[in-house]
Amino acid sequence: MTADIGVWRFLLPLMALGTCSPVLAADRALLIGIGNYQNLPPKLFLHGPKNDLVAMEGLLTGTLGFDRSAIRVLKDEQATGAAILSSIEEWLVAGTQPGDRAYLYYSGHGLQVTDLDDDEDDGMDEALAPFDLVAKNKDWDGAITDDELDAILERLKGRAVTLVIDACHSGTISRSLSNDVSVGIDGARFLPRPVAKPVEQALTRGLRIDLGVVDKPAHVNESGTVAWSASAPYQVAWDDVRLPVESRHGVFTAAYVAGQMGAAADANANGLTSNAELFEYVTVQSAAYCASQKKCETLDPQLETKAQNLGASAIVPVQARADAKARYQPVTGSSTGQVSYQDANAIDAVGDIVGKADAGDVTLGIDRPTSMKAGDVFKLTVASKIAGSLILLDVNAEGAATQIFPNEFAQKITPLSANVPLTLPDEYYGFDFEASGEGESAFVALVVNDPVDLAAVAPKARGLKVELRARETLSEIVSRLQKTWTEDLDKRGIRWSVGMLRYHVE
């Protein structure tokens, strides 16, 4: 018995380019940066937001193609609660229409306030701090809550919405910060509650953190919305305190901007920086900062968007600007009217969807040359430096995929052991793998080091049986792996690695 693993032909429909320009007159951006607060003591002021605004304005007018007249900036005393909400309503909502870009950026303090509509599991609403925020006896007054942001996204339906928040969203302070919670921490973009007291380790690293959940906006999965935030719900966002006071900026903002300049975040070097690659870049940069600071335990930026947006361009590729048909194609399925691009070759696009560079942590090999003839029988080996669960796909250049593992034929199913190769098929299968079709294909191995339930995105029942759409399948898997790991006391991102092996069938 043989199982065909090779080139499956499945053509993805192309969306007509039309005459869309990267810049539309009705595109609008609202940039908010607050370092000085009317009713807070200077020890709680932030030095980074003023520099963040300059960097973001440069990103928008340069790389992202916004006209300067399409950008409104609210800084410090200009950014009262009333001014922020009215600007959102008049500038972003009323000033755009379906098909336009709407960009909302905030740099400043985050906080929690009492939930008044019982839609939060922990009884608290996450919120942003306007310039005129006031501390009451037990709570903050005048904060802009996540409920209000959710309502804004609802009114922006049909636009290509980007929401970027460089602030802490949670009132839960990690153990290393607990002694400073009531007096503020240099560089921390978080405001403790007015009655905050130092808390015990068991409380902050156990039940309280588990309940400190930030609900993603209900409309973040609308087709045109990409939402970025500097940290996970249980973490603190930071000013870069390694820099002189006047030169400081948000750790997240600096990485977010740098990742869209040149090829800094283009992990697979195909000329296209995808959302997933940008996310991986800011994650790595944030982790590097955190490792240098004693009071920063972990720092995991968050990206919320539809899975299909992961491999889409965060910025228009330079080559696509000159000739969109040369290497890239528009992403299908967008209802916003804005054009984003993907690599036309589904194998090259794997790196854009995964976001991670192939660092050699997962290796693949076959027992014959990687240039084969149809009908050649082969065995495939996979090895990982770190133990974990395996998802193995076969992807061809035109967008079809086969899930090789997990599958129902394997009688011996165990997680990969560290540095112990797994051979497929082994003696338990009762059949061989046989090359089929013609052209270039690739084996893509994802090894997940945490015990994550992946049955919903990679059910073994479809293994070796069903022809899949490579981009959609891989995007769904990676979207699941980008979620936060919350099954132990050290909250962090899920740990996983990727490996890839190209082969050719004549």
Side-chain angles (χ1 to χ4, degrees), residues 56-70:
M56 286 298 300
E57 190 169 354
L59 174 67
L60 288 171
T61 57
T63 304
L64 299 184
F66 278 75
D67 190 271
R68 178 62 191 84
S69 64

Side-chain angles (χ1 to χ4, degrees), residues 133-377:
L133 183 81
V134 177
K136 298 296 186 181
N137 290 335
K138 295 183 178 180
D139 217 337
W140 296 103
D141 185 46
I144 298 173
T145 68
D146 54 359
D147 290 338
E148 291 173 288
L149 291 178
D150 184 46
I152 291 164
L153 290 181
E154 168 65 19
R155 296 197 297 279
L156 286 170
K157 273 187 175 180
R159 284 78 161 170
V161 179
T162 302
L163 177 66
V164 183
I165 306 295
D166 193 348
C168 177
H169 287 264
S170 176
T172 305
I173 295 297
S174 59
R175 173 173 54 85
S176 64
L177 300 180
S178 61
N179 291 334
D180 301 314
V181 67
S182 60
V183 297
I185 309 101
D186 184 33
R189 296 188 166 199
F190 163 79
L191 289 178
R193 302 195 74 200
V195 293
K197 298 269 193 301
V199 286
E200 298 299 326
Q201 175 180 351
L203 184 64
T204 58
R205 297 177 70 89
L207 179 63
R208 187 68 186 94
I209 279 184
D210 290 338
L211 292 178
V213 178
V214 173
D215 296 328
K216 66 183 180 183
H219 305 288
V220 80
N221 277 340
E222 298 295 336
S223 61
T225 302
V226 182
W228 301 84
S229 54
S231 61
Y234 47 86
Q235 296 171 340
V236 173
W238 296 90
D239 268 8
D240 191 339
V241 298
R242 298 171 299 186
L243 300 173
V245 168
E246 290 305 310
S247 301
R248 288 183 183 178
H249 47 66
V251 171
F252 172 80
T253 296
Y256 178 77
V257 171
Q260 297 177 77
M261 299 291 189
D266 183 12
N268 63 349
N270 68 339
L272 184 152
T273 297
S274 68
N275 286 311
E277 287 177 314
L278 180 56
F279 175 71
E280 179 67 15
Y281 180 82
V282 298
T283 297
V284 170
Q285 296 299 313
S286 297
Y289 174 80
C290 206
S292 72
Q293 302 298 308
K294 292 181 179 180
K295 291 184 176 182
C296 180
E297 291 183 329
T298 55
L299 188 55
D300 297 296
Q302 303 291 290
L303 169 62
E304 294 289 353
T305 188
K306 288 185 68 173
Q308 73 181 56
N309 290 335
L310 293 177
S313 57
I315 55 178
V316 177
V318 173
Q319 188 175 349
R321 293 172 185 154
D323 182 1
K325 295 182 179 180
R327 179 165 187 174
Y328 312 111
Q329 65 186 27
V331 176
T332 61
S334 174
S335 61
T336 65
Q338 292 290 334
V339 178
S340 58
Y341 293 88
Q342 61 189 10
D343 201 306
N345 184 305
I347 297 174
D348 294 335
V350 167
D352 295 327
I353 297 170
V354 171
K356 295 175 178 283
D358 186 344
D361 295 325
V362 180
T363 56
L364 299 97
I366 55 177
D367 60 349
R368 61 184 313 116
T370 54
S371 181
M372 298 182 284
K373 294 181 179 180
D376 284 348
V377 173

Side-chain angles (χ1 to χ4, degrees), residues 465-498:
K465 295 180 180 178
V466 181
E467 183 176 282
L468 306 168
R469 298 184 180 187
R471 299 177 198 269
E472 294 179 10
T473 299
L474 194 56
S475 295
E476 290 172 357
I477 295 170
V478 173
S479 181
R480 174 66 183 91
L481 296 178
Q482 287 182 347
K483 305 303 179 186
T484 301
W485 175 252
T486 58
E487 298 302 318
D488 55 36
L489 294 180
D490 292 323
K491 305 296 185 284
R492 52 175 172 75
I494 293 172
R495 296 174 297 194
W496 58 285
S497 303
V498 62

